[in-house]
Amino acid sequence: MAGPDFSEIFRQEAQDLLEQLEAALLDLEQSPDDRGLIDGAFRALHTLKGSGAMFGFDRVAAFTHRFETAFDRVRKGLAPPSRDLVAVALSAKDHIRTLVDAPAAAEPAEGEAILETLRGVVEGDAPPSAAAPPDRPVPAGAAEAPGASVTWRVRFRLPRNALVTGANPLLLLDELRALGRCTVTALTDGVPPLDELDPEACHLAWDVTLTTAHPRAAIEDVFIFVLDESDLTIEPHGEPHGEPLGEPPSGRAPPVPAPSAPPAGPAADAEAGEPDRPIPGDAPAGRRDADAAGARDPRPGTSLRVQAERLDELMDRVGELVIAQARLSQLAGASSDANVKSVAEELERLAAGLRDITMGIRMVPIGSLFGRFRRLAHDLSRDLGKDLELVTSGEETELDKTMIERLADPLVHLIRNSIDHGLEDAERRRAAGKPPRGTVRLGARHSGAEVLISVADDGRGLDAARIRAKAEEQGLLAPGAEASDAELFQFLFHAGFSTAREVSAVSGRGVGMDVVKRTIEGLRGTIDVATRPGAGTEVTLRLPLTLAIIDGLLVRVGRGRYAIPLSAVEECVELTVADDLRSRGRSFLNIRGDLVPFLRLRELFATAAPPDPYQKVVIVSAGDLRVGLVVDQIIGSHQTVIKSLSKLHADVETFSGATILGDGTVALILDVVHLVEFGQAREERLKAC
């Protein structure tokens, strides 16, 4: 059996770290005084450097080390976290991503240029005196004697499970030795009797006297990945000098040399080692192991990384199980054996629970998608010279992972258009009485069985007259033909349609919005556009929760059976003979005082079989619109496993897919959104007559 692909493990780990780094940098631009953001960015860089060196990504480790060295000046308060710093740091992050994903495509000269720019930013703004940051305690005399050695007392005890989780205290001690001359004392007061000793637990503690010219921060960095669960104290010990302390404190065991480890472990009264050892990435072995252990240390409540292909396969298996369960239920219904009926009911309950759990596994918070667009807005703000803010809401809204993956490109196009075409520049906004900073809002929320994702801006809004003129110019609309604003706005999604007066590097060629429409329709969703001249535009994407399994209402029309998504069904009523006769020519039903148009599916599907004497009407809705679907029989609810139609039927808009019934026959799934739009359009035509 093949072992794990460690390079792929590192790439997945690096992806998470780079996302953390990007989020911290973007937040830092808005909150430059937030110390936690600076430390978070530095911690992500530090972990990435150590893991890269450990997994053999030496170019990643070397570049990240130099990036980290420059950013360390920001962490120490020697350079301010300016907008220029964030911009070049984001470019450095992009270069690291290229080194991880496609190292052959990474240009060394480009990396050197980025690092040189980064060095210039952090050193050009550095204060003349390299004083220690004020929030770190410094022993007396250190500031008056720059570069002098200082003696520190370092005492630490690792958690009992430290050895199991991969931490190596010998390598941590080796890192301390690399900082200067040190004396190590092992504290054995926590070692239990032999018959109670757990060989996998860490029972020792250490007392280290370290004389070094490095700052306290360098000592803290040794323990950066075990700090949260360890008992650690770092205190100044004595005045600055160049010699190590003599005897250890009274009552302690005499210093003992640590067992040999590659490289040599720390020993009592060890000679001062090299402060900087030139290995790839300049990350000591102890740091690399600690980094990797800290990054992959499982914690209670953490998530488990699973390949997406396995989830897809699990979903397929659950779908087949649902189909088999439906067949068993059908057989049990025709059987008089009570045991068979009982087993069928139990299996139906278990299959429904397994379906819900599997669906829940596939659901992902949409915040994982929204986070990507913060960088897009940041870059467009710089490229277009527009001051803007991206505000997100509803990040906790969950959506099927397959849909989230396919939504990335449509949302990129919508956000670009909002920023480039929607938002005015600062001067025009001031002239219109608006704040100079524009706002783009990206939100998500649940609405019944749908998820609504909206992209809204407070810009100039859409010009319906200009859209009409462009549509007539391109032959999409007859001159003088009647068209509502909603119909005019849909022309924006035609290929090659653009009202932009100038073509920019971002948009304006009429390419992209047609991709948005095709993708959303492929997800069985719809697009709504609303605008207020001078106040902004909002584009709303209406999407189903999932593309895999839904609860459906099974109906019969003639001899054919069809499934209607149960989430879209409001109610079922009987079509009386009087209503049937009265509605001839004008198909409306009076539902508690509201006139609801209805469609006769027998006519729509050209069914030849005679109708049932008592037909039923299924009232379905999409958004605020309702329509009735006349069917011959309502069979009942059915767990519907959605199967995609073939490319031959790609243009059939009435159906969104198909499902396999318990007897092996196929039932088509009605596209409720299309049928509602079709019914409402027919109603408008009848009213105009």
Side-chain angles (χ1 to χ4, degrees), residues 75-275:
R75 192 171 68 111
K76 293 176 178 176
L78 304 179
S82 61
R83 292 176 65 93
D84 290 338
L85 170 72
V86 171
V88 69
L90 288 171
S91 298
K93 188 231 77 173
D94 292 340
H95 187 73
I96 295 175
R97 186 184 295 276
T98 304
L99 288 172
V100 172
D101 296 336
E107 294 290 342
E110 179 182 355
E112 288 295 329
I114 292 173
L115 290 172
E116 186 63 25
T117 304
L118 180 62
R119 186 194 62 78
V121 170
V122 298
E123 293 185 0
D125 296 333
S129 61
D135 57 330
R136 297 195 181 276
V138 179
E144 289 80 5
S149 294
V150 178
T151 299
W152 299 88
R153 179 91 172 273
V154 182
R155 284 169 289 184
F156 68 96
R157 182 185 296 275
L158 299 178
R160 286 178 57 85
N161 66 341
L163 302 179
V164 177
T165 58
N168 190 336
L170 299 181
L171 298 177
L172 296 176
L173 292 169
D174 184 53
E175 289 197 49
L176 291 175
R177 185 190 70 82
L179 296 177
R181 302 183 65 180
C182 63
T183 300
V184 179
T185 302
L187 307 180
T188 60
D189 54 324
V191 179
L194 186 60
D195 57 345
E196 300 177 9
L197 188 141
D198 181 358
E200 294 184 347
C202 180
H203 302 288
L204 295 175
W206 289 268
D207 191 333
V208 181
T209 303
L210 172 65
T211 301
T212 179
H214 289 268
R216 177 193 176 104
I219 304 174
E220 292 177 345
D221 285 347
V222 172
F223 303 95
I224 190 171
F225 293 104
V226 294
L227 185 62
D228 293 340
E229 298 183 352
S230 301
D231 294 329
L232 172 68
T233 58
I234 304 174
E235 300 171 344
H237 190 85
E239 297 298 322
H241 54 73
E243 297 296 330
L245 292 180
E247 296 298 324
S250 59
R252 304 291 191 191
V256 292
S260 60
D269 293 317
E271 293 298 323
E274 309 85 8

Side-chain angles (χ1 to χ4, degrees), residues 326-365:
R327 185 174 183 183
L328 177 61
S329 296
Q330 186 173 357
L331 294 174
S335 173
S336 59
D337 191 332
N339 291 328
V340 173
K341 293 180 181 292
S342 175
V343 170
E345 290 175 359
E346 181 69 11
L347 183 60
E348 182 177 1
R349 182 182 66 81
L350 294 174
L354 181 60
R355 179 204 66 174
D356 293 340
I357 291 174
T358 307
M359 296 274 291
I361 293 174
R362 290 170 57 96
M363 303 299 279
V364 179

Side-chain angles (χ1 to χ4, degrees), residues 30-117:
Q30 303 298 325
S31 305
D33 297 329
D34 192 330
R35 181 77 188 181
L37 295 175
I38 298 174
D39 291 340
F42 187 84
R43 192 177 300 114
L45 283 172
H46 195 71
T47 308
L48 189 60
K49 179 186 74 173
S51 297
M54 185 177 71
F55 285 107
F57 286 75
D58 292 341
R59 291 179 64 190
V60 174
F63 182 88
T64 308
H65 168 64
R66 296 173 65 185
F67 183 0
E68 178 191 36
T69 301
F71 199 80
D72 191 41
R73 294 182 61 84
V74 181
R75 192 171 68 111
K76 293 176 178 176
L78 304 179
S82 61
R83 292 176 65 93
D84 290 338
L85 170 72
V86 171
V88 69
L90 288 171
S91 298
K93 188 231 77 173
D94 292 340
H95 187 73
I96 295 175
R97 186 184 295 276
T98 304
L99 288 172
V100 172
D101 296 336
E107 294 290 342
E110 179 182 355
E112 288 295 329
I114 292 173
L115 290 172
E116 186 63 25
T117 304

